[in-house]
Amino acid sequence: MSGNETGQAQVSDRVLTVPNLLSFSRLLLVPVFLAFLVQGQDAAALIVLVISSVSDFLDGYIARRFNQMSRLGQLLDPAADRLYIFAAIIGLAWRDLVPWWIVGLIVGRDVFLLVLGVILANYGYGPLPVHQLGKVATFALFLGLPLIMLGLAVPAIAVFSQPIAWAITLWGAFLYWWAGAIYLIETVRAIRLARASLPRQSDTLEP
């Protein structure tokens, strides 16, 4: 067994790896995806989204299979996921196909997590580990939003796909905030532990 005797993947500081290049390509396609969506070219936007999803699968597979996991990749991958979600809801809202409160609900949750991250950093903590519920919520949004787009690209199936798409999207948004509540609880717990570990100040003045 080479590289890692414990069987756990090594995470390196390398930048120029095949998975990272694939992640960069996903990021470069975000504005292309958004432009197609805003212009009403739903079929083209779906094609870009499929290409991005395939590259997402490939970069994860290659990173694990060939031990090319990196810290940069761990940042790029979730960043690309969020940007595609933001691009999808903003593009659809721009065309009045989804209400803007959905945009505020989803974007607001990530702004909320950003604030929690700043608070944790002030106490010397890094970002909280991704909760399984957050992964499920992201998956639901990644499934629901493209289904909405699919109904737009193929109107013949919209009567069937749209109710399902909206149910999944709204459920994903609910889970998104549920996960946010869990992150808030974990942040409060971390702050309490940090404060408890601080030395108590003396009530008397030092001579």
Side-chain angles (χ1 to χ4, degrees):
M1 184 183 299
S2 61
N4 192 343
E5 294 299 325
T6 64
Q8 295 182 345
Q10 297 279 356
V11 179
S12 71
D13 293 319
R14 294 174 61 190
V15 174
L16 293 178
T17 65
V18 173
N20 286 351
L21 291 175
L22 288 172
S23 294
F24 277 121
S25 71
R26 289 180 68 213
L27 290 172
L28 291 175
L29 285 175
V30 171
V32 178
F33 168 72
L34 179 58
F36 280 141
L37 194 54
V38 169
Q39 294 169 10
Q41 301 182 41
D42 299 309
L46 275 174
I47 291 172
V48 173
L49 191 60
V50 169
I51 293 172
S52 172
S53 299
V54 171
S55 70
D56 184 26
F57 169 78
L58 286 176
D59 77 51
Y61 173 79
I62 293 171
R64 292 186 297 269
R65 177 67 177 80
F66 298 100
N67 196 25
Q68 292 188 12
M69 297 183 69
S70 66
R71 290 179 177 84
L72 179 61
Q74 290 178 335
L75 294 174
L76 291 178
D77 204 45
D81 289 345
R82 280 178 169 78
L83 285 175
Y84 273 101
I85 290 175
F86 292 168
I89 58 172
I90 289 171
L92 292 171
W94 185 269
R95 293 164 56 191
D96 293 325
L97 297 172
V98 301
W100 280 99
W101 63 263
I102 287 283
V103 180
L105 193 65
I106 295 175
V107 175
R109 205 248 17 188
D110 280 320
V111 173
F112 175 67
L113 288 193
L114 180 62
V115 172
L116 292 184
V118 172
I119 294 173
L120 284 170
N122 288 334
Y123 283 90
Y125 289 99
L128 290 170
V130 178
H131 194 275
Q132 191 65 33
L133 189 62
K135 294 180 180 179
V136 174
T138 301
F139 175 78
L141 292 174
F142 257 114
L143 180 60
L145 292 170
L147 278 176
I148 293 176
M149 294 168 54
L150 182 62
L152 298 172
V154 188
I157 67 170
V159 67
F160 304 106
S161 65
Q162 294 299 77
I164 297 173
W166 273 104
I168 296 174
T169 299
L170 292 175
W171 180 243
F174 171 74
L175 293 180
Y176 217 48
W177 271 101
W178 189 356
I182 293 174
Y183 292 134
L184 174 61
I185 293 170
E186 292 299 321
T187 298
V188 171
R189 183 178 301 168
I191 292 173
R192 286 177 176 173
L193 288 174
R195 287 179 173 175
S197 65
L198 292 175
R200 293 180 177 272
Q201 295 184 349
S202 174
D203 292 331
T204 59
L205 295 176
E206 294 291 336

